[in-house]
Amino acid sequence: MTTATPRAVRVGLDVLDCSELRRLVERPWFLRFSFAPEELRHAETLGSRRRLEFLTGRFAAKEAVLKVLGRGFLQGVAPREICVEHTPRGAPVVRFHGRAAQLAPPSVSVSITHKQTVVAAIAITAPPELKEPDAMPPPTTGTTGTTAPAPAPAPAPAPAPAPESVRDEPTPETTAFLRVRVGQEEAHYGGDLVDGARVLRLFGDLVTEITIRTDGDEGLLAQYSEVRFAAPVKPGDYIEARARLVRRTRLRRVVELEAHKVLSAHAGAGESAATVLDTPQLVCSATATTVVPYRRTDTASALNPVAEET
């Protein structure tokens, strides 16, 4: 009698800190490349902090599954082809699409855990004969007392389409631009330095213009994040500030902001001397989140009256 050689169990493990993805998950190209539409639809129903935790956990799970498949990152499988959904009880389950489906083993289980800002995920694959008993259909007894063959499991139903009220809203290419000259009266610190709040006021005007263009409303600025001052500003400098809408939900608009110095006062060559910079110099960058009123244009299709953020 011969015995079949059991297939090896493969394990993949990945650990991430949420700060590693904080900026990336605000970029549309990264979201489209890394996450399946089902994952993005669920992420947009969450608040800002929970959304970051959720996407970081899903990304760690995808890395763990790639290790189970014996593939490195960007080696023939796109992360969005590994979709980590969840059961009604919240347990994560993996579904494969595209090239990942051709490499997928019969069974892959994943587990995700969170601890403050750290996320860990583990994936494990096992031979079909080692599946958990509750995953197998129960045997049925025939009239002769023998056990009848178990019926083939029914194919998994296709996931129901997400309600319209939680789907991604399209993010059109919406931008705004300002160019200002900093006056002598705006010098605030020694050495004729201008305070950083001057640049943030420019950013506030740009965010307002963005929401007027997209929603016909000035909106309400909720927060700045990732603020970084990269170079000093002095009287006589010309500052170009730009804004770009990068994400929108039902209530929120997320805008990337940058300010560059393009002309600079050149006091060393004379009181009124100035120069044009060959390469614009980054002065400040930030990300702003603003809130706009929720307009109920179609109450019949709304999922429920509760606000989108949890």
Side-chain angles (χ1 to χ4, degrees):
M1 183 177 70
T2 60
T3 303
T5 304
R7 284 178 280 183
V9 175
R10 305 194 68 170
V11 178
L13 175 67
D14 194 68
V15 179
L16 282 174
D17 192 283
C18 290
S19 61
E20 298 179 65
L21 295 188
R22 188 180 303 277
R23 291 185 66 89
L24 286 173
V25 297
E26 302 300 334
R27 302 182 183 276
W29 66 264
F30 179 79
L31 295 176
R32 290 192 299 269
F33 174 73
S34 300
F35 300 99
E38 301 92 324
E39 296 168 316
L40 294 177
R41 281 195 290 268
H42 182 73
E44 294 306 329
T45 67
L46 307 174
S48 176
R49 178 177 177 181
R50 180 68 187 103
R51 174 180 179 271
L52 177 60
E53 292 176 347
F54 172 82
L55 293 176
T56 304
R58 262 41 187 182
F59 194 84
K62 294 169 188 283
E63 289 268 32
V65 171
L66 282 171
K67 293 170 183 175
V68 164
L69 299 181
R71 295 293 178 114
F73 194 70
L74 300 179
Q75 292 186 353
V77 176
R80 66 174 177 272
E81 295 174 334
I82 302 170
C83 178
V84 184
E85 297 183 284
H86 58 270
T87 66
R89 295 186 178 182
V93 293
V94 183
R95 304 189 190 282
F96 296 96
H97 306 288
R99 292 165 294 182
Q102 301 172 7
L103 301 171
S107 174
V108 175
S109 298
V110 297
S111 181
I112 306 171
T113 185
H114 298 260
K115 180 69 172 180
Q116 296 178 345
T117 63
V118 177
V119 176
I122 186 170
I124 184 169
T125 178
E129 60 270 18
L130 296 183
K131 287 184 178 179
E132 296 179 1
D134 59 5
M136 304 295 291
T140 59
T141 304
T143 56
T144 60
T146 59
T147 301
E164 186 66 28
S165 58
V166 299
R167 289 183 182 174
D168 286 343
E169 294 187 20
T171 306
E173 183 66 25
T174 306
T175 60
F177 169 82
L178 282 173
R179 177 185 290 170
V180 299
R181 181 180 185 274
V182 180
Q184 184 64 47
E185 70 281 1
E186 296 182 279
H188 188 70
Y189 296 106
D192 272 353
L193 293 180
V194 176
D195 59 287
R198 179 66 179 94
V199 178
L200 293 182
R201 289 200 299 273
L202 295 179
F203 286 171
D205 290 341
L206 290 172
V207 173
T208 299
E209 180 178 344
I210 289 285
T211 56
I212 290 174
R213 291 184 180 276
T214 58
D215 299 273
D217 192 279
E218 291 188 359
L220 180 64
L221 184 63
Q223 69 173 18
Y224 283 118
S225 60
E226 307 292 338
V227 178
R228 184 171 71 92
F229 294 100
V233 177
K234 295 188 176 184
D237 291 344
Y238 280 74
I239 304 298
E240 288 187 355
R242 299 179 182 272
R244 183 171 67 92
L245 178 66
V246 295
R247 185 166 68 89
R248 63 184 294 172
T249 66
R250 193 168 48 175
L251 298 179
R252 299 189 176 208
R253 308 290 179 261
V254 180
V255 182
E256 281 188 350
L257 301 146
E258 286 189 349
H260 290 82
K261 184 190 304 185
V262 292
L263 283 80
S264 177
H266 193 30
E271 293 183 358
S272 58
T275 184
V276 177
L277 300 181
D278 294 332
T279 302
Q281 183 180 18
L282 179 65
V283 169
C284 182
S285 62
T287 300
T289 301
T290 187
V291 179
V292 296
Y294 175 45
R295 307 184 189 282
R296 293 182 177 273
T297 57
D298 185 6
T299 55
S301 65
L303 181 61
N304 56 54
V306 181
E308 67 162 348
E309 308 297 344
T310 59

